[in-house]
Amino acid sequence: METRSIMIVGVGGQGSLLASRLLGNVILAKGYDVKVSEVHGMSQRGGSVVTYVKYGDKVNSPVIEKGEADVIISFEQLEAARWVPFLKKGGKIITSVQKLDPMPVITGAAAYPEDLIGKMREKGIDVTAVNALELAEEAGNAKASNVVLMGVVAQKTDFGEEVWQAALEQCVPPKFLELNKKAFELGKKAAE
Amino acid sequence: MKKLLLGNAAFARGLYEGGCRFVSSYPGTPSTEITEEAAKYNEIYAEWAPNEKVAMEAALGASIAGARAFCGMKHVGLNVAADPLYTAAYTGVNGGLVIAVADDPGMHSSQNEQDSRHHAIASKVPMLEPSDSQECRDYVMEAFDISEKFDTPVIVRMSTRIAHSQSVVDCGDRQEKELLEYTKAPQKYVMMPAYARGRHVFVEERTLKLTEFAETSPLNKVEINEGTKKGIITSGAAFQYAKEALGDSVSYLKLGMVNPMPVKLIRDFAAKFDEVIVIEELDDVIEAHCKKQGVNVKGKEIFGYIGELSQTIIAEKLLGKKNEMISLDADIPVRPPVMCAGCPHRGVFYALSKNKITVSGDIGCYTLGAVAPLNSMDTTICMGASISALHGFNKVRGAEAEKRSVAVIGDSTFMHSGMTGLVNIAYNATNSTVIILDNSITGMTGHQQNPTTGMNLKGDPAAAVNLEELCKAIGIKRVRVVDPYNIKETESAILEELEADAPSVIISRRPCALLKYVKHNAPLKTDADKCRGCKMCLKLGCPAISMKDGKAVIDHTQCVGCGICEELCKFDAITK
């Protein structure tokens, strides 16, 4: 199988590390070669963060470059828009509708662009937009938006329910497991 | 047993399986997780040292005592540990000694883009360079064997993309390594001139033997693809990028051992091709070696010296291929990293910014005080430089500068190398003001314990350095503690200490808001009727506060109720 490339993007602190760990374990369980690449450190402090997930028969480079991503999963609208140049022609975006003002918008040096999802669709991009934050709060904790989005991804892909459940059990600490399973289900339903 | 492991976790797995017994490191992105993961194995003793020099000396001591030992650091950390490294090269080892150095091409989380291979060459210590997680595990185990066989420390060079990429690793069991016998051997371990001269002869002979080893070691792999006219010499992450961009259209010599490098192997490989290209990140280390051996290669004239490589850079430069991409009709504002909501550093930087104080900065989360809207930092150089550079600055500019400038440094950075700078201020007398931002943790690298926190790497209680007593013992008479959530108190303390005709230390004490044990207050709210839209609260640069329709609003998912904005608002528009 040719290598598939998925990007998980968001704002530092939104939980992209857990999301990528889940996806990585699901892919590993399906027997693919996989690389998950993330950057730790300074950018995690409220900055724009990105994780690359690549899988197939044999993965070489751990990074995804402009024009290479099959899917971009985003925790925040502006971040989805920022990484659009990395999407392949015909690629898909799954994004939460959450908006977080970056510092230049907070200080008034820049404006948060209007109707980003509309603008992405204008370019022919297949965009799935969900309110992951609201669903995570419904599940019991705003921090579970990452797992809500993974529920959406599970619904849109065919890795199979079993491997997702196993990955959740492996990656989420037991005391948060129930909450995260609920968040996952809500994500799946939202994408039906 | 196959596992998906971060390069750093695979490195730790190699330490475990290779029978490592002792680990001492100082955290630094992208090397930190090696030591954190190693600490999870009960069979390995692991600790955070106050700095990389101490860590390497401790690891060398453990090696001399007969244990397989390890120390890890980022690239700039190896500069701090360069002193023991260059002499450990002479003493050699007893138990195997492996050193990790993690370079950061692209400077994702670093202050420079140095290429640590130069340290390996200059210190005459062998260096291995893995290109994925499996090789991280395998090379570490091999490094221990090389270390003991050739009586040398071995450096394993990581880089951001190898350290922080997860890939599949086939794991095995631990090989238990008993302590080797320790025998007193002053000619080997006492590096005074008479003995060191003898060891230098040994080092040069060792390098010849290691070069011989490199000619045939499976660490250096040749991959000939039939009918190809171009040969690529590469290593580490660059190998992965080259494979992805060029596939089977070229042949490869992948160097797993980047110091010393083979000679005959490279000549024989190069002789097979019309053209040989070296693909390496940062400096022209492999290229220079090839040219020195009379092998005609191209490298930096194509790729340059700056930043990370990638498959697209290689495809573009060598194949003239460019990916198609989609661009949106929108201006996307940048999203730089910021201090978190509730960050205890914020109050200090607000006070410094408001009073236009010259700030000699340091390495940590608080370096973010340099960016808008706080814009409150004049210099950031390296670990500990805030204090020592402030002393030099004040010495030449005199009392005027002393009353308008401070150094800011975190608790961990102060223990690392700030203390000695403070000794210099006391001893050589400038009336400098030093602010220790004590957030009770090593923050930027992701919450590591340090000698001030009262806990060790394994999570057990430990002796805690008392910063107030330490500063007093150094000779600073004016030492005071403030709570940075109290802006008025913090500001007046800074202004008073700047005026004082004596050196002073202000300890700004408040644990990092992200620490699990820190209890948060309920998020604050704004009252739209009372808010006049003056934007005073925006001067704090808090990511939880923004303007909507001319009024300040607080994002309840981010706000931790620290109350600094409430303190600042003149119209009581911010409430609990």
Side-chain angles (χ1 to χ4, degrees), chain A residues 35-38 40 42 45 48 54 61 63 65-66 68 76 79 82 85 89 100-101 103 106 113 123, chain B residues 33 109 164-166 244 310-312 323-327 331 333 335 337-338 443 538 541 545-546:
Chain A
K35 284 189 178 170
V36 179
S37 180
E38 54 213 18
H40 304 194
M42 188 170 251
R45 300 281 173 254
S48 176
K54 294 172 80 166
S61 167
V63 301
E65 290 271 296
K66 284 183 177 164
E68 291 185 344
E76 201 270 351
E79 294 311 310
R82 181 185 316 287
K89 279 238 156 105
L100 286 170
D101 285 352
M103 203 42 69
I106 289 175
K123 292 284 172 185
Chain B
E33 299 84 359
S109 207
H164 286 166
S165 291
Q166 301 170 54
E244 181 139 335
S310 70
Q311 61 270 25
T312 49
N323 287 345
E324 269 189 277
M325 58 179 147
I326 310 164
S327 51
D331 284 329
R335 189 187 300 274
V338 292
L538 296 188
I545 311 176
S546 57

Side-chain angles (χ1 to χ4, degrees), chain B residues 10-29:
Chain B
F11 196 118
R13 183 76 202 180
L15 292 174
Y16 168 75
E17 290 185 33
C20 179
R21 300 166 71 107
F22 181 93
V23 169
S24 184
S25 303
Y26 185 79
T29 313

